[in-house]
Amino acid sequence: MKLYRGDEVDKLQSFLASRDVESSPEIMQQVDDILKDVKARGDEALLEYTEKFDGVALSRIQMTPAEITACAAEVSEEFIANLREAAENIRFFHKEMVDEGFHLEKDMGIYMGQKVTPIEKVGVYVPGGRAVYPSTVLMNVIPAQIAGVREIVMVTPPSEEGINPYIAAAAVVCGVDKIYKVGGAQAVAALAYGTETVPGVDKIVGPGNIYVAQAKKAVYGKVDIDMIAGPSEILVIADDGANPAFVAADLLSQAEHDPMASSVLLTVSERQRDAVLSEVARQTALLPKADIVNASLGTYGMAMVCDDIAACIEVSNRIAPEHLELMLANAADYLPLVKNAGSIFLGYYTCESIGDYFGGTNHVLPTNGTARFYSALNVDDFVKKSSYIHWSKEALMRDGAKIMNLAENEDLEAHKNAVKIRMETA
């Protein structure tokens, strides 16, 4: 891990920002070609791309309910039970986000408000290759269900054996019964434009590789998307009371994701920093993905000693991490100081893994500093908010001249006339 002084924040932040890798022109062109082809040829193109990229010759894209059930039955009852409990925790948290809108009454028959309406159709992309995350099914589907989305469909790439059974199990736990065996940019195209089999949707959510991310960027505007997620990241602020073994384990939990994942330690003493680094080395040697961990920590692992905890949090706010752990005594007392973070984990025992799987908060989070302006996936991501207004005849008579004056000074005569004609015929 690289070591930084407390006055080297700009250098640290600049280096982390270098992880934001743009798609190459070649990838952008490939994705564009796939999108156009699926839009033009529909299912025929999907079947060809599935055989080309996944090595699977399909006769049918959509899974039947019986196939989903049989696939899910391959996992253990214990796993299903744990998924169900995790789902309940996610519902417990997200149901508090429901917005019922509002209605306001003024004088003279004037009223206005906000109407909240669920998005009609949502497509969930679920990776099915090297990275298989059934927990992501729960995190994407449950907020949409709580929002009242009428139709939720899932796409996931198949292998010769079918789709991953853990993904099927998560779909069963969530009650998703429309699963399509297609992945990559072609799956995004199918969801955006619709095919003979795959329904077009209004919003696409879920993570994927660089081709999926580029496809989501390209179809944004035709449909909505959740976000473009970058490599995973964690920032741990640890005081001298934090167990170095705990801190190291949490830094490693993100480093094992990807060679481009970042793990950052901020602390107030060199003694604690050195103790954590020693634990990082010891624990890494025991991990099955030690090669990935070493690549990640060697490039994007960082440790900085700051003057005090407040200074640590100032640095963290500059970085705006995806996951922020406050491994501090009385951690909640510092919560008001945190301005930019995707999800915040408080105390010595709240490891980031709890939020990833079981705690109830969402693990679909902004990365690469976008927590400065973006939020975790939530119920609001699956609704639209429309304003409404009613103006009575009497109110228009009272205020019409003011409205016409404003329109006239914007040189919009037709706007002015829409008021004037009503006032003259009253």
Side-chain angles (χ1 to χ4, degrees), residues 44-66:
E44 182 182 6
L46 293 182
L47 292 170
E48 288 180 11
Y49 286 123
T50 300
E51 185 167 9
K52 177 180 179 180
F53 296 127
D54 300 305
V56 181
L58 296 176
S59 59
R60 182 166 33 85
I61 296 171
Q62 184 174 4
M63 294 183 71
T64 67

Side-chain angles (χ1 to χ4, degrees), residues 3 6 150-151 212 234 244 313 315 338 396 399:
L3 306 184
R150 181 178 61 83
E151 184 175 355
V212 172
I234 187 170
I313 295 176
V315 173
V338 177
L396 186 62
D399 297 325

Side-chain angles (χ1 to χ4, degrees), residues 288-303:
K289 294 184 177 181
D291 289 347
I292 294 175
V293 169
N294 282 321
S296 169
L297 295 181
T299 307
Y300 298 110
M302 305 171 191

Side-chain angles (χ1 to χ4, degrees), residues 114-258:
Q114 187 173 83
K115 180 181 183 295
V116 180
T117 308
I119 292 173
E120 282 283 304
K121 298 179 182 179
V122 168
V124 179
Y125 186 96
V126 184
R130 182 179 63 181
V132 177
Y133 303 123
S135 57
T136 295
V137 176
L138 275 58
M139 296 291 180
N140 283 277
V141 170
I142 291 172
Q145 291 174 328
I146 291 173
V149 174
R150 181 178 61 83
E151 184 175 355
I152 301 172
V153 302
M154 183 184 300
V155 292
T156 188
S159 67
E160 290 185 356
E161 292 75 31
I163 73 164
N164 185 280
Y166 291 92
I167 291 173
V172 169
V173 166
C174 290
V176 175
D177 58 4
K178 294 181 180 178
I179 301 179
Y180 301 88
K181 296 179 286 187
V182 60
Q186 59 272 24
V188 175
L191 292 173
Y193 304 121
T195 71
E196 299 90 330
T197 300
V198 183
V201 299
D202 303 307
K203 181 162 187 166
I204 301 171
V205 299
N209 62 20
I210 189 66
Y211 293 92
V212 172
Q214 181 58 42
K216 287 170 69 177
K217 280 185 182 180
V219 300
Y220 176 65
K222 168 65 176 175
V223 296
D224 191 18
I225 62 173
D226 49 356
M227 63 183 77
I228 304 299
S232 188
E233 56 202 36
I234 187 170
L235 189 151
V236 180
I237 299 177
D239 62 18
D240 282 337
N243 186 325
F246 293 3
V247 179
D250 293 0
L251 293 169
L252 295 174
S253 71
Q254 291 308 294
E256 74 172 348
H257 268 298
D258 189 306

